[in-house]
Amino acid sequence: MDMTADAFEALVVEELDRLPDEMVEGLDNVVFVVEDEPEDGGDLFGIYEGFALTERGQYGMGELPDRIIVYRRAHLDACGDEQELRDEVHTTLVHEIAHFYGIDDEQLHELGWA
């Protein structure tokens, strides 16, 4: 599948807007970023960089924001059409937001999100 970087970023924003309010309202000091691929050239769909809520002590005094990165190329390579792409971006967003809340990969597998 092929899609420009701008169109993919717009799709990510649309999917973020479709997430339930209770999932995104608790996000604090988090930015969402779209990049083509990880620096190591890996095939990740996304990554959460930061400290989960469950790991935060005295937090919020000048720290840089946590980042949720969505990788464009891995999504486009894995998806055959726009609906499949939307579904995969949705899953990636939920997965990475879950890490913000302290839900690890094992729990995500149990919930069907990994």
Side-chain angles (χ1 to χ4, degrees):
M1 184 172 178
D2 194 30
M3 180 178 281
T4 67
D6 288 341
F8 182 79
E9 187 170 331
L11 184 142
V12 170
V13 170
E14 289 171 13
E15 289 306 311
L16 185 57
D17 287 344
R18 290 185 176 141
L19 294 175
D21 290 342
E22 55 272 5
M23 183 180 293
V24 294
E25 285 175 349
L27 296 175
D28 181 37
N29 202 29
V30 178
V31 296
F32 289 83
V33 178
V34 173
E35 294 182 1
D36 276 340
E37 60 188 22
E39 288 183 20
D40 67 4
D43 59 357
L44 291 174
F45 287 112
I47 192 166
Y48 169 70
E49 296 178 340
F51 294 99
L53 284 181
T54 55
E55 298 174 1
R56 293 180 182 186
Q58 293 287 63
Y59 182 85
M61 300 298 176
E63 287 89 355
L64 292 174
D66 294 357
R67 295 181 351 139
I68 292 177
I69 304 171
V70 178
Y71 295 110
R72 183 175 72 97
R73 288 207 174 115
H75 281 89
L76 296 178
D77 289 347
C79 299
D81 61 39
E82 187 173 323
Q83 187 55 54
E84 189 178 358
L85 179 62
R86 287 183 177 281
D87 292 344
E88 194 60 56
V89 167
H90 177 91
T91 299
T92 299
L93 289 170
V94 170
H95 182 110
E96 302 310 333
I97 289 170
H99 287 316
F100 168 83
Y101 288 114
I103 300 172
D104 63 23
D105 282 337
E106 183 178 327
Q107 292 170 300
L108 285 168
H109 278 287
E110 292 170 8
L111 297 169
W113 288 102

